[in-house]
Amino acid sequence: MLLGAHESTSGGLHQAFERALADGAESVQIFTKSSRMWRAKEIAPADAALFQEASAGAGFAATVHAAYLINLGCGPGDLREKSIAAFVDELDRADRIGAPYLVVHPGSCPDKASGLKAVADALDRTFAAHKGKCIVLLETAAGQGSALGTTFEELREIRDRVHSPERVAFCLDTCHVFAAGYDITTDRGFDRTFRKFDELLGIERLKAFHLNDSMKPLGCRVDRHEQVCKGEMGPLPFRRLVNDARFRDVPGFLEIPPEGNRASLQRLKRLRAKGQPIRQRPSARVATPTRAR
C-alpha cells in the first residue's frame, strides 16, 4: 500500500506535496478549496502547472476529497441543486490538476430508499455535465444519523443505478466501517469483511483507503478518528491492510490532525516491513452492520 495523509494546501495547492514528503508519505489527499464553502476561485493554468510539476517531483499523484457541504442524497430543493453544481465543479477542478480520484460522502436522507436513488440520480446529472477522466470514489459511511453508504449493500445499490458505473469506484474508511459494525480487528472478521466487499462491490473497485483508528467501539455509528493503532481497533487491521497484495500500489491516507502524520506513517511502515501476525486482543464483539431498509 502507498501510505500517505491528507495534507494542507495552505500557500498553494502544490504545497501539499512538500508537506507530504516531509511526513514521509508516498501518496497524498487534498481539498482543492475550503471544505466548508460552496464556491472558490478558479484554479489558474499557472497554478495547475505548478501542481503537476510538484506531483512529478514527488513521484505520486494527489487524490482529491470533495467538500463536506455536498449532499447528493437529499431531496429536491436548493440544497440538492447547490450540491450537484458544487460536485460538478469539484470534478472539473480535480481534472484540471490531473487527480485520478475524487472522494465524496454519498450524503444523507431520512428515507433510505429515496436517498440511495437520489445519489445515483445526482451522479448521472454530474456525469452528463462533466466528461473528464477523474473517477468518483464513494466513501463508506459510519452510520451517523441518516447517512447513506453505511453498508456495502447500499453502495452496491447506488452504483447499480448509475448509468455510467465505470465512472464510480470506492474508498474504504477503516474507522467508518468499524463504526458501522464491520469487525476488521480479528483475522476472521477481516477476511469476512473483505470477502463480502469483493462479492458485492468487487475488490478491484477499491481504489483508496482512509486509514483511521476509532475513538469509539465497534458498531457505535459515530465517526471519531484516532491515530492508527492507538484506538479501539488496534494494530491488526492496519497490519493486514498494508501487507495485503490486493492493495499493492493502492493509496491509503491518514485523516487526523497533521501533527500526528509523521509518527502514524512511521508506525504503518513498521507494520508493513514486519508483515507478521500480531496477537489479537480478547474480543467479544458481535455487532453487525445495519441493513438498508
Side-chain angles (χ1 to χ4, degrees), residues 185-220:
T185 65
T186 67
D187 284 317
R188 181 179 179 183
F190 183 98
D191 291 338
R192 181 171 57 244
T193 296
F194 284 95
R195 183 166 56 249
K196 188 165 190 177
F197 187 101
D198 192 28
E199 291 170 354
L200 289 170
L201 300 172
I203 209 74
E204 72 281 359
R205 297 191 187 100
L206 184 43
K207 300 298 186 181
F209 287 89
H210 288 165
L211 300 175
N212 304 305
D213 208 323
S214 176
M215 293 183 181
K216 301 293 184 178
L218 177 71
C220 63

Side-chain angles (χ1 to χ4, degrees), residues 41-56:
K41 68 176 184 179
E42 186 175 328
I43 299 174
D47 292 333
L50 194 59
F51 183 90
Q52 290 169 1
E53 181 181 341
S55 174

